[in-house]
Amino acid sequence: MRGTGVRVLIVGGGVAGLATVAALRSWGAMVDVVERAPAPIDAGTGIYLTGNATRMLDVLGLREPVADVAVEITRQRSANQRGRRLFDIDVVGLWQGVGPCVSLPRAQLHRALLAGVGDAPIRWGRQPVALAEEGDLVAVEFDDDSTERYDLVIGADGVNSTVRRLAFEGQAARDLGQYAYRWIAPRIEDEAVWSVQLGRGRQFLTIPISAEQTYCYYNDGPAVDRPGWRDELGTTFTEPAATMLKALDYDDSTLHAGPNQEVVLDSWSRGPVLLIGDAAHATSPNMAQGAAMALEDAIVLASSLAAAGSLAEALRGYEARRRPRTDWVLSQTHRRDKATGLPPALRDLVMRRLGEQMFRSNYGPLFAQP
């Protein structure tokens, strides 16, 4: 079907929403975008995009503006909390034929996507407060007391989705029992290496995101913030943990903290209302697939809409095509989280012997096109 005469509302102006705008450009629909944030993101920490994510940027015509501001990661290194190496991965070889793995500040990615979608009509500081089906349409009431009607409403508004709360019986994300801290520190290594140290149920991760900056990530077990987390991180892990923490002594404005959550639903649509990206299937961040799955969602949704004879058929086809892949990512994140909870001696033995094999197995199905 063609999108001529179809009105689409995209709720969310992040990766999933902007990718969907780009993917639907040639379909012909009238697309509105609303975003609850008052302005484009100019803060945040960093993001790592695996090869299947950059492949989708290429399909959308957005790889070049992202590559211009990104660091290409050539190797992933895993070590225990004492700094003893467990295994390395040549990510260039791993993702050969798919796409490069890159890292960059989140704000830079957002700016690149905004530039890529051009004059998309984004209304900032606006969000729906009620959704009601009226025949084949959805009446959307916004927080400025206006109401508009759409043929399709797409919730691309993240793990704490307003659309999911309004249209899916208030189904909430569930905590994973991990509290995560993210911040930006100076870059101290020349080599473009994604590096993680594993403690029992804890991880400390560093990724260069520019010539001057490193993205730092730490998660521990309790799903609550604790005042002593910095001391714990500094004493549990070897360098560069202490050096990275010093950045917060000088400036903690980049620090973001909160629980890791996941979203599991029996269906992603309710009539002509559809969830995509983290709103539909958020997972633990340990496979770095949040942005990749959102970008793939956008491409597959556009393909499904173009191939189907009706919106209802398109949404059914979209979910049937996407769910096996997102379910795989969910299952692999659970396996990885369980592995970090093993007794350190057993975990280190398993990782040294099987770590590279397990890593390749985690990502194997994602090398294929979505």
Side-chain angles (χ1 to χ4, degrees):
M1 63 179 289
R2 290 290 302 162
T4 306
V6 177
R7 290 200 72 197
V8 178
L9 173 67
I10 298 173
V11 181
V15 173
L18 294 177
T20 304
V21 173
L24 294 182
R25 275 185 296 202
S26 62
W27 189 48
M30 297 176 288
V31 178
D32 291 339
V33 185
V34 296
E35 165 55 52
R36 59 192 166 207
I41 298 169
D42 197 32
T45 52
I47 189 167
Y48 179 56
L49 303 176
T50 51
N52 59 319
T54 56
R55 172 172 58 192
M56 294 297 98
L57 290 174
D58 202 25
V59 173
L60 293 170
L62 298 173
R63 186 196 285 191
E64 185 173 340
V66 171
D68 287 344
V69 293
V71 174
E72 183 172 354
I73 300 299
T74 58
R75 187 160 56 94
Q76 292 192 213
R77 180 171 59 216
S78 296
N80 66 18
Q81 65 194 47
R82 297 185 300 277
R84 293 186 63 188
R85 191 166 300 184
L86 300 175
F87 66 94
D88 279 17
I89 294 291
D90 170 13
V91 293
V92 176
L94 180 71
W95 292 97
Q96 186 174 9
V98 180
C101 296
V102 303
S103 56
L104 69 163
R106 279 186 174 271
Q108 293 274 29
L109 175 61
H110 196 241
R111 282 196 286 272
L113 294 174
L114 279 172
V117 300
D119 57 354
I122 302 174
R123 287 177 280 185
W124 300 96
R126 195 179 192 193
Q127 65 177 331
V129 294
L131 303 174
E133 287 192 47
E134 295 182 353
D136 293 333
L137 301 179
V138 182
V140 182
E141 181 183 347
F142 294 99
D143 53 3
D144 61 357
D145 295 327
S146 65
T147 299
E148 298 186 44
R149 288 161 179 81
Y150 295 92
D151 299 282
L152 176 62
V153 174
I154 300 172
D157 49 345
V159 64
N160 295 309
S161 168
T162 297
V163 174
R164 191 178 66 242
R165 175 174 56 81
L166 294 174
F168 289 71
E169 296 81 45
Q171 293 188 56
R174 60 195 187 196
D175 287 350
L176 292 170
Q178 306 164 357
Y179 203 87
Y181 302 86
R182 299 169 171 87
W183 71 98
I184 301 299
R187 182 170 173 178
I188 60 174
E189 290 188 2
D190 292 332
E191 192 177 4
V193 177
W194 176 108
S195 181
V196 68
Q197 292 183 35
L198 302 175
R200 185 165 187 178
R202 299 170 180 166
Q203 301 176 69
F204 175 61
L205 171 71
T206 58
I207 312 174
I209 57 173
S210 73
E212 300 83 23
Q213 295 177 310
T214 298
Y215 166 46
C216 303
Y217 168 93
Y218 169 64
N219 76 262
D220 61 16
V224 292
D225 193 6
R226 291 182 296 107
W229 73 270
R230 294 191 197 184
D231 292 337
E232 178 185 81
L233 171 56
T235 58
T236 301
F237 295 92
T238 62
E239 283 289 2
T243 299
M244 298 293 101
L245 281 168
K246 287 179 183 177
L248 294 176
D249 295 333
Y250 296 104
D251 179 12
D252 63 1
S253 63
T254 66
L255 179 64
H256 292 257
N260 287 338
Q261 298 176 300
E262 69 179 16
V263 175
V264 180
L265 302 171
D266 59 359
S267 174
W268 299 335
S269 62
R270 293 289 188 273
V273 178
L274 174 71
L275 299 175
I276 66 170
D278 279 352
H281 46 67
T283 66
S284 165
N286 64 44
M287 284 185 65
Q289 283 296 301
M293 291 298 102
L295 292 164
E296 290 185 359
D297 283 353
I299 298 293
V300 174
L301 177 59
S303 172
S304 298
L305 287 167
S310 67
L311 285 173
E313 180 187 340
L315 300 191
R316 288 194 300 270
Y318 163 79
E319 184 161 351
R321 185 170 160 188
R322 288 299 292 150
R323 190 171 281 276
R325 198 164 173 102
T326 61
D327 283 351
W328 171 264
V329 171
L330 178 67
S331 69
Q332 298 308 297
T333 60
H334 287 172
R335 289 183 63 186
R336 285 182 163 214
D337 282 338
K338 287 179 181 177
T340 63
L342 292 173
L346 175 59
R347 180 207 61 213
D348 290 359
L349 177 63
V350 171
M351 290 296 181
R352 286 195 185 98
R353 292 185 175 180
L354 301 173
E356 183 175 353
Q357 177 183 332
M358 291 166 61
F359 191 97
R360 293 178 181 278
S361 174
N362 290 156
Y363 289 100
L366 305 182
F367 300 154
Q369 289 282 355

